[in-house]
Structures are given as C-alpha cells and as structure tokens.
C-alpha cells in the first residue's frame, strides 16, 4: 500500500501503540512496553466509521469475534530495532461500515540530520481456513497468517483488517530516531499517524552464530506449483529458479533451505523399497543413478549461500543404505562416491568445516544400528572431517546413550529434550556433543510449536529458549507440505481469504504460501520465527558485552514449556536485552 498524498481529512481515531523501545543511540527508556497491552483485555470494536490502531506482530487479530485485539488506543506508532535486523508492527483497520479501496502507506523515514531509512515493507495480512482443529479447545474458521502483497482492500463493516509494516536495517544504518507518517486513505478521507523508528547502536553480525535450517528438498517446487494435467515436468533450470526463489525468502526470514539447496543426493526408503542416486545440481547425471561432479554449478550454489551469511550447509541427506538387502551394496557405493567427490571439492575451497551429512532420519528399531554403521562407513571411506548429524525423535532416555560416539551433531525434538535427559548426557559426555540442535514437528503436541492454532509467541520463543538451553541450531522439516491441506492451490495476491481447508495437521510443515505468479508469500508464523532467531543473536552479543548478566538467564523462559505468553512481557525482555548491550558497550574501555 504505497504512500499517497491526498486531501487531509479530520482524524477519525487515535492509534494503538506497542512501544518496542526507543532512544536511538541514547538510553532506552525503562517504561512503556508494559502499557502496550490493556490489562490483556479485549478492546471493544471502536465506534468511529473507521478507526486505525496498531499492535505487535505477535498478536492475532481475527476477522470474527472475539477479535483478539488487545492493544492501546493512543500514542504514535513506534518500532525499535538494531542494525542488521527486521522488526514489524501491525496496523489494524476497524470499519463500522463497508468501504472500498482502502490503502495504507508509509512516508519516507528520516532523522533530523537527514539520514533516511529505506527498508520499509508493507504486507496485507490474509487469513486461512482451519476446518478441523488439532486441539479440542481451538477456534475454527479464519486464522490470520498469510502475508500478502501491499494492496488496496475492501473493508466490511465489523470486520478488522491488519496490515504488517516491517522495517529492515543494514549494518551501515545510522543509529537514531527516524520519523515519518502512516496514512490510511479511505475515499475522501486520509487518516495520518506519526511513525517513529528507533535504530539502536547495536549491530547483529552478518554471519549469525546460531544455525537455523530448513529441509526443503528439490521436489518441493512441484508440490508448491502442481503440474496441470498432462503438463511436462519442469527442467532442471526451471527447478533451480524455483529453489532460488525459495532460498531468497528462506534467507530473508532466517530459515534458509540449507538442507537441500547444494545437495545432489537422492536417497530414500519407503514400504520396504529404497534407492540412492545422485545428480543435479551437484553432478551431471549419467543415466545410471550416478554422474560427473559439476564444480561450477556447485560453487554457484555455495557462493549464493556464502554471500548471504550462511554458517553451515548440508551436502547430503541419506536414507538407510543398508536396505533393501539386494540393493544395499550399490547404495553404499553411490553414497561413498558422491561424498568423496564433494569432500575433495570442499577441501580445496576450505569449506569442509561448514558441511554436514544428515544421517537416517528418526531411526527406530534396527535402523538405529544402521545409522551407526552409516556413520562408521563415512568415517572410514570418506573422511573423519565430514561432519555427520543424527536426528532422533524418540521419546525415551535410552536413545542418546545408544547413539553416543556415532554422531558429530545430535538433533532432537524440542519436546523430547527433557524425557531424553539430553542435559544430563551433555554434562557427562561433553566430548560427544560438539554441536547440539533441536527441531519441532507434528509430534508431540507440546508447546512451543508452529501449529497454526498455537499463539504466535511460540514461534518467537524458540529463539531465546535455544539460548537458555545451550542449543546450537534449529531445523524445521518443511516450508510447505500440501497433505493436510484440502483445496490446496497457489494463492492469488488478492486472495485475502486463502481458501485452503486446513485439517488437524494445523499447517505443520507449512510456513509459506506459494503464489499463482510463482512468487512466495511469508506467514506471521515465519515472521515470528525469524524474529526469534534474531533475538538469539542479541543474547550472544549481551554475553560478549556483559558475561553473567542476569538477562542471560532468559527470565521469559523458565523451562522448556514454561514461558510467558504475553507479547508485551516478551518485548519488554527484548528491549531490556538491547539496553543492557548498549550500556555495557558504553562503559567498556
């Protein structure tokens, strides 16, 4: 919704403000955020014909009652963030009559000294239809989640409409307070509200310390944009173009598809069958399940990731190469040949320390032994400098000691951290845990998780919880999983009610909305996950600047499932962390 100059109408409402902190390069006030939520009470629908409010990106504003809106009805709109960060706030429109073609725009943002802030994005918040709840006490119907393009919207009386205004800064952004105007244009009326963006004198690193990954495979584009009946399969070049679109949004939201982007191995097991082959993009396929290594195309993908600050990447995700018996020897030979090609190339570039092999996913029964044998196979026939990650989602304390010594990196489900006694085994076997990751997925149902029905604070809380538990990385298994979505289709940019029929998978494995024009729309859940990954980096910076600071105990996350639901409390914690970094940097010699 672009900035429009127009006739100045009388303001019809005040604006709700969630203060994320202020002060620019000066002190960050200690008060303000706690007032951003009106005693957690539902604000009644305003009486003016059109009222304009705002609330944090951690609130869901529903189209039907109760709307879930708990913001304030006064003050300017304020956003606070550091450099190399993105932070957003929702502008919410409350009409009491039908209105056509309403737009929301943001003017230029400048400081008194003339510095300008360019990284402003406006997205219209759409809704998706939850037909079958996962949890008995969940509401069904339209959930705010898809973030659609900037556009004029038609408003219906009594139905709120949210717009997410996001600000992105660079490492070179000048600290200070940037001021501008948010305008809402409805027919002959323009409602203007002040917008203040405080950029604090703290910079997130270009290459993050925390590792986050998405396991989006090369078959995903065909699931995102299904072929029409009788249509030809996409060429490798077309698939590459789609994967780079996916990678662009992944890196922008700190959930890069590092699991498969530079991976040419196809290794699978299902129903007693399985195969391991290799080819595009790392190899030129030969037609027999193998191929010749293509260093130019592989380097293109590696350089793409390195230019965006990647801190790891997966070179292989392997199925169980010990099954089925008649094909297992050939499968092992192909796995080893593929990894030898890749290892030699990475060694020549000095990148081996960033490369991972993802071993058999979630092994149970005899597959646990097969995963251990695969680890030994890679060690003996490829090299001890190829890092192997082992995922396990078993919910018992036996699995970790059984796997000890057969992984470089362990990846467990966040919900099973305590039942697997992960902390105890890390304390008693530190040499086995050079890295420790976790993930969330369909099972168990415990929070935090990324189900559509869970509060948005869950997505953001994964970040600080990771710091509190000393976790090195987070992986999420899917960017889109159409099974569980009835009437799946690529959405139109103006499809404010995305007519997917969501079942009780509750959009597990789906954080994006592919568009009919082959662009990709993010979600409120993906936004929260990105913000949490950035908050982890703030905690690392505080640990550098002020070791032992009380905020490093992460008071908003007292335990694995014991954390604050209140967005205002969380945002106050985040603001206090930034203030502590600024203060520590100020007093350090």
């Amino acid at each position: 919704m672009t900035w429009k100059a127009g006739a100045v109408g009388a303001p019809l409402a005040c604006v709700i403000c969630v203060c994320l902190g202020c002060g620019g390069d000066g002190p960050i006030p200690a008060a303000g955020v706690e007032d951003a939520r009106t005693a957690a009470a539902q604000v009644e629908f305003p009486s003016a014909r059109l009222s304009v409010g705002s609330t944090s990106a951690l609130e869901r504003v529903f189209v039907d009652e109760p709307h879930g809106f708990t913001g304030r009805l006064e003050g300017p709109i304020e956003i606070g963030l550091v450099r190399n960060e993105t932070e957003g706030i929702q502008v919410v429109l409350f009409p009491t009559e039908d209105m056509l073609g309403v737009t929301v725009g943001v003017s230029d943002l400048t400081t008194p000294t003339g510095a300008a802030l360019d990284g402003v994005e406006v997205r219209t918040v759409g809704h998706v239809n939850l037909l079958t709840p996962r949890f008995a006490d969940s509401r069904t119907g339209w959930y705010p989640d898809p973030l659609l393009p900037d556009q004029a919207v038609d408003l219906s009386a009594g139905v709120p409409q949210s717009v997410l205004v996001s600000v992105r800064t660079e490492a070179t952004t000048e600290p200070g307070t940037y001021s501008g105007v948010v305008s809402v244009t409805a027919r002959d009326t323009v409602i203007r509200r002040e917008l203040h963006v405080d950029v604090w004198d703290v910079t997130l690193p270009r290459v993050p310390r925390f590792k986050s990954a998405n396991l989006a495979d090369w078959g995903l584009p065909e699931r995102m944009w299904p072929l029409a009946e009788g249509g030809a399969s996409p060429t490798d070049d077309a698939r590459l173009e789609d994967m780079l679109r996916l990678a662009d949004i992944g890196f922008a939201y700190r959930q890069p598809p590092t699991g498969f982007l530079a991976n040419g191995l196809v290794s699978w097991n299902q129903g007693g069958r399985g195969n391991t082959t290799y080819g595009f993009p790392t190899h030129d396929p030969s037609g027999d399940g193998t191929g010749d290594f293509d260093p130019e195309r592989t380097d293109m993908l590696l350089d793409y990731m390195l230019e965006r600050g990647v801190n790891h990447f997966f070179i292989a995700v392997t199925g169980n190469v010990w099954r089925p018996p008649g094909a297992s020897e050939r499968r092992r030979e192909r796995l080893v040949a593929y990894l030898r090609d890749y290892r030699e190339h990475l060694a020549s570039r000095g990148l081996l320390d960033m490369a991972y092999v993802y071993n058999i996913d979630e092994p149970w029964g005899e597959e646990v032994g097969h995963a251990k044998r695969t680890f030994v196979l890679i060690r003996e026939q490829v090299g001890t400098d190829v890092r192997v990650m082992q995922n396990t989602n078993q919910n018992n304390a036996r699995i970790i000691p059984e796997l000890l010594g057969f992984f470089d990196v362990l990846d467990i489900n966040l919900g099973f951290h305590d039942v697997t006694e992960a902390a105890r085994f890390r304390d008693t076997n530190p040499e086995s845990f050079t890295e420790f990751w976790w993930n969330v997925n369909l099972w168990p149902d415990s929070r935090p998780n990324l189900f559509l029905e869970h509060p948005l604070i869950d997505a953001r809380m994964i970040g600080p919880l990771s710091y509190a538990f000393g976790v090195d990385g987070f992986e999420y298994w899917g960017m889109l999983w159409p099974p569980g979505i009835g009437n799946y289709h690529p959405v139109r940019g103006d499809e404010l009610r995305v007519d997917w029929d969501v079942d009780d998978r509750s959009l597990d494995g789906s954080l994006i909305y592919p568009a009919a024009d082959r662009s990709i729309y993010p979600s409120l859940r993906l936004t929260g996950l990105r913000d949490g990954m950035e908050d982890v980096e703030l905690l690392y910076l505080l640990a550098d600047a002020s070791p032992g600071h009380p905020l490093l105990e992460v008071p908003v996350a007292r335990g694995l499932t014991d954390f604050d639901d209140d967005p205002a409390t969380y945002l106050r914690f985040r603001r206090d962390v930034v203030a502590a970094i600024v203060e520590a940097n100020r007093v350090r010699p």
Side-chain angles (χ1 to χ4, degrees):
M1 298 180 185
T2 53
W3 166 257
K4 290 187 178 182
V8 179
L12 299 179
C14 51
V15 74
I16 302 158
C17 162
V18 173
C19 176
L20 303 183
C22 49
D25 55 355
I28 300 172
V33 176
E34 55 267 39
D35 298 326
R37 195 174 172 95
T38 311
Q42 171 86 7
V43 175
E44 293 183 2
F45 208 91
S47 58
R49 58 187 284 263
L50 177 62
S51 296
V52 180
S54 66
T55 191
S56 93
L58 294 173
E59 296 275 8
R60 278 200 177 95
V61 182
F62 290 90
V63 293
D64 52 351
E65 295 184 355
H67 299 299
F69 185 81
T70 55
R72 286 173 44 217
L73 297 174
E74 58 186 12
I77 301 173
E78 297 182 351
I79 299 176
L81 71 167
V82 303
R83 292 182 295 229
N84 265 354
E85 188 182 25
T86 302
E87 194 71 29
I89 196 166
Q90 292 183 85
V91 175
V92 188
L93 312 181
F94 294 97
T96 56
E97 61 183 61
D98 294 350
M99 294 183 173
L100 302 179
V102 179
T103 62
V104 176
V106 180
S107 71
D108 291 340
L109 296 169
T110 58
T111 66
T113 61
L117 188 58
D118 297 326
V120 179
E121 180 183 67
V122 179
R123 284 191 173 272
T124 303
V125 179
H127 294 72
V128 65
N129 192 21
L130 177 67
L131 285 184
T132 308
R134 184 172 187 83
F135 307 103
D137 58 348
S138 294
R139 67 192 290 165
T140 56
W142 296 106
Y143 270 73
D145 193 54
L147 296 176
L148 304 175
D150 172 17
Q151 60 194 284
V153 294
D154 296 337
L155 304 180
S156 298
V159 179
Q161 175 63 55
S162 295
V163 173
L164 184 68
V165 176
S166 299
V167 177
R168 185 189 70 254
T169 56
E170 309 293 341
T172 55
T173 301
E174 181 180 317
T177 299
Y178 294 76
S179 297
V181 175
V182 173
S183 65
V184 179
T185 303
R187 292 190 301 196
D188 58 348
T189 299
V190 180
I191 303 172
R192 293 189 174 96
R193 289 294 176 263
E194 292 182 9
L195 173 63
H196 301 305
V197 177
D198 290 297
V199 179
W200 302 317
D201 193 10
V202 174
T203 306
L204 296 185
R206 186 185 73 85
V207 178
R209 284 188 242 183
F210 192 72
K211 298 180 179 180
S212 56
N214 188 273
L215 304 182
D217 66 80
W218 280 82
L220 181 57
E222 289 174 77
R223 298 194 297 273
M224 293 167 65
W225 296 288
L227 295 175
E229 186 174 349
S233 297
T235 64
D236 285 340
D237 287 343
R239 188 176 284 109
L240 173 60
E241 189 174 327
D242 286 336
M243 282 294 281
L244 289 177
R245 287 191 184 99
L246 185 67
D248 284 344
I249 193 169
F251 275 101
Y253 283 82
R254 294 186 179 254
Q255 198 62 25
T258 50
F260 281 87
L261 187 61
N263 171 27
L265 189 76
V266 178
S267 186
W268 58 274
N269 296 79
Q270 188 173 9
R273 301 173 58 244
N275 200 4
T276 295
T277 61
Y278 57 89
F280 185 86
T282 58
H283 292 68
D284 292 322
S286 61
D288 63 353
T290 67
D292 295 325
F293 187 70
D294 187 326
E296 183 176 346
R297 191 167 55 236
T298 301
D299 279 342
M300 181 274 289
L301 292 168
L302 294 174
D303 290 341
Y304 166 91
M305 292 190 287
L306 292 169
E307 289 165 3
R308 286 155 179 79
V310 75
N311 53 20
H312 74 282
F313 50 85
F314 290 77
I315 59 174
V317 178
T318 183
N320 186 353
V321 296
W322 306 91
R323 288 286 183 263
S328 61
E329 184 176 356
R330 182 179 72 251
R331 294 186 68 181
R332 292 193 295 275
E333 290 173 350
R334 289 175 174 176
L335 174 64
V336 168
Y338 169 85
L339 290 177
R340 283 175 173 170
D341 282 347
Y342 218 145
R343 184 206 166 279
E344 180 180 353
H345 183 70
L346 292 174
S348 70
R349 293 199 57 184
L351 296 176
L352 266 176
D353 61 336
M354 300 178 70
Y356 295 72
V357 174
Y358 190 101
N359 204 346
I360 300 172
D361 187 47
E362 300 185 10
W364 289 80
E366 68 174 4
E367 284 204 333
V368 174
H370 293 162
K372 293 160 69 173
R373 292 170 71 183
T374 302
F375 176 84
V376 173
L377 176 74
I378 294 171
R379 278 285 185 273
E380 292 180 348
Q381 297 198 34
V382 182
T384 59
D385 48 8
V386 176
R387 191 175 305 184
V388 178
M389 172 182 281
Q390 182 60 61
N391 167 273
T392 174
N393 280 350
Q394 291 196 31
N395 57 338
N396 59 73
R398 300 183 303 276
I399 186 60
I400 291 181
E402 186 170 354
L403 289 169
L404 280 175
F406 295 93
F407 59 79
D408 298 296
V409 185
L410 187 65
D411 172 31
I412 71 167
N413 189 290
L414 185 157
F416 296 147
H417 178 274
D418 289 348
V419 297
T420 55
E421 300 182 27
R424 176 169 71 86
F425 291 119
R426 293 180 72 188
D427 287 342
T428 56
N429 300 272
E431 71 285 350
S432 296
F433 290 87
T434 56
E435 278 189 25
F436 184 71
W437 289 41
W438 60 14
N439 63 82
V440 295
N441 57 20
L442 193 63
W443 177 61
D445 286 342
S446 59
R447 298 177 55 197
N449 216 307
L450 298 176
F451 295 120
L452 181 67
E453 294 157 82
H454 280 166
L456 288 170
I457 191 70
D458 279 40
R460 190 156 187 172
M461 189 61 71
I462 289 171
L465 268 175
S466 299
Y467 182 88
F469 281 80
V471 175
D472 302 296
F474 171 79
E475 60 93 351
Y476 192 58
W477 69 275
M479 288 293 263
L480 178 76
W481 186 246
I485 303 173
N487 193 37
Y488 172 77
H489 60 275
V491 304
R492 302 185 316 276
D494 61 351
E495 194 175 346
L496 296 183
R497 303 291 183 268
V498 174
D499 195 21
W500 292 355
D501 296 332
V502 178
D503 72 5
D504 61 5
R505 292 184 69 97
S506 193
L507 289 189
D508 178 68
S510 296
L511 296 174
I512 57 173
Y513 293 82
D517 65 359
R518 289 190 108 75
S519 57
I520 303 171
Y521 305 143
S523 65
L524 284 172
R525 290 170 299 133
L526 183 57
T527 298
L529 192 57
R530 175 204 62 202
D531 293 343
M533 298 298 105
E534 292 177 339
D535 293 343
V536 173
E537 300 301 319
L538 289 175
L539 288 165
Y540 286 141
L541 292 177
L542 178 57
D544 291 341
S546 183
H549 195 285
L551 288 172
L552 296 174
E553 297 295 322
V554 192
V556 293
R558 294 166 294 276
L560 190 69
T561 58
D562 181 16
F563 52 88
D564 284 302
D565 280 347
D566 181 9
T569 301
Y570 183 91
L571 295 174
R572 180 167 61 248
F573 161 72
R574 174 182 173 273
R575 178 210 60 204
D576 290 345
V577 169
V578 176
I581 298 170
V582 171
E583 177 63 17
N585 287 337
R586 184 183 65 82
V587 300
R588 282 194 304 178

